[in-house]
Amino acid sequence: EAGVAQSPRYKIIEKRQSVAFWCNPISGHATLYWYQQILGQGPKLLIQFQNNGVVDDSQLPKDRFSAERLKGVDSTLKIQPAKLEDSAVYLCASGSPSGGRLKVEQFFGPGTRLTVL
Amino acid sequence: QQPVQSPQAVILREGEDAVINCSSSKALYSVHWYRQKHGEAPVFLMILLKGGEQMRHEKISASFNEKKQQSSLYLTASQLSYSGTYFCGTGYGGSNYKLTFGKGTLLTVNP
């Protein structure tokens, strides 16, 4: 079974530029998550999709971050304009509630390491 | 409501045991444990549910204490491959599968 794919793996941009990340979840997984992981911290949920609908985006800085999940499969996360504090690893995860809604194992992709200069 | 993990870091010799705790100030419904090696994605270890049984992954087990709103991860006879950062993700019920992750515990196993 193929895992969660993400691209690019690394990105370096200047502040105020824009950047986009792409995620392809495991086939058949209805739930997709984008996390931001700052060095030395745990992953912080930015947005959660169920199929192509947003379930939770309470921690997404909506003035600069946006995300979409087209046709309930692939997803893109965009930052425009980027700030220095956006430097982090952006992780995409997908899951499927095979054992009930509280037993959703999340499978993480390799992440995109963003450096904002 | 970010869960609190303790200790922040622990260093072991191969074969020694360790316990990592994850505490919440809010009523927990589920606790998920992940291990992340440097530069890699978090890897799922196990899920514990409120009222559920203790879980096990190889020589790693975990428990859920409802009274204390706490989960503990037990690493027995540690191996070099156990090195990494351990995160707990807590679920508080609701209609989605949202997890809130702790800051992690860095475990180093030396030969």
Side-chain angles (χ1 to χ4, degrees):
Chain A
E1 179 182 74
V4 177
Q6 288 188 248
S7 67
R9 292 295 312 276
Y10 304 91
K11 191 75 179 178
I12 301 174
I13 60 173
E14 302 273 336
K15 62 183 179 184
R16 290 189 287 274
Q17 284 187 321
S18 60
V19 65
F21 313 125
W22 174 81
C23 172
N24 182 233
I26 292 173
S27 177
H29 280 191
T31 311
L32 186 147
Y33 313 80
W34 281 103
Y35 289 92
Q36 179 191 60
Q37 187 174 26
I38 291 172
L39 189 64
Q41 302 283 321
K44 173 188 163 187
L45 180 68
L46 293 176
I47 189 166
Q48 177 183 339
F49 292 94
Q50 182 73 15
N51 297 308
N52 59 352
V54 175
V55 174
D56 190 309
D57 63 358
S58 56
Q59 298 190 100
L60 186 74
K62 297 180 189 65
D63 58 334
R64 298 183 302 106
F65 286 65
S66 64
E68 61 181 4
R69 189 179 184 194
L70 301 173
K71 299 179 184 177
V73 183
D74 292 9
S75 177
T76 55
L77 176 70
K78 294 179 183 176
I79 308 175
Q80 183 180 10
K83 291 185 175 182
L84 296 176
E85 60 260 35
D86 298 333
S87 293
V89 175
Y90 290 84
L91 294 164
C92 177
S94 70
S96 187
S98 59
R101 65 179 179 84
L102 294 177
K103 287 195 89 172
V104 179
E105 176 184 340
Q106 295 187 26
F107 295 85
F108 284 84
T112 296
R113 182 176 297 277
L114 174 69
T115 303
V116 183
L117 303 175
Chain B
Q1 225 86 10
Q2 186 176 39
V4 177
Q5 287 187 235
S6 62
Q8 287 185 312
V10 59
I11 300 174
L12 301 174
R13 286 204 177 273
E14 204 172 1
E16 291 182 338
D17 303 339
V19 180
I20 299 171
N21 296 308
C22 173
S23 298
S24 172
S25 57
K26 223 172 125 177
L28 285 172
Y29 282 79
S30 66
V31 178
H32 301 222
W33 285 97
Y34 288 79
R35 177 172 61 212
Q36 185 176 32
K37 293 185 181 284
H38 184 69
E40 298 180 12
V43 173
F44 172 79
L45 293 176
M46 63 191 84
I47 298 174
L48 295 103
L49 300 181
K50 179 181 173 181
E53 56 190 35
Q54 189 172 30
M55 299 300 289
R56 187 164 203 88
H57 171 83
E58 298 173 350
K59 288 187 179 177
I60 302 172
S61 61
S63 63
F64 189 140
N65 186 319
E66 283 185 52
K67 274 191 177 178
K68 290 185 178 180
Q69 297 302 330
Q70 176 178 294
S71 176
S72 296
L73 190 72
Y74 306 95
L75 298 105
T76 306
S78 59
Q79 306 168 14
L80 297 177
S81 61
Y82 286 2
S83 292
T85 301
Y86 289 78
F87 293 101
C88 67
T90 48
Y92 299 102
S95 60
N96 61 33
Y97 320 120
K98 175 179 173 178
L99 293 180
T100 303
F101 285 90
K103 292 186 176 182
T105 295
L106 177 62
L107 177 75
T108 305
V109 181
N110 292 319

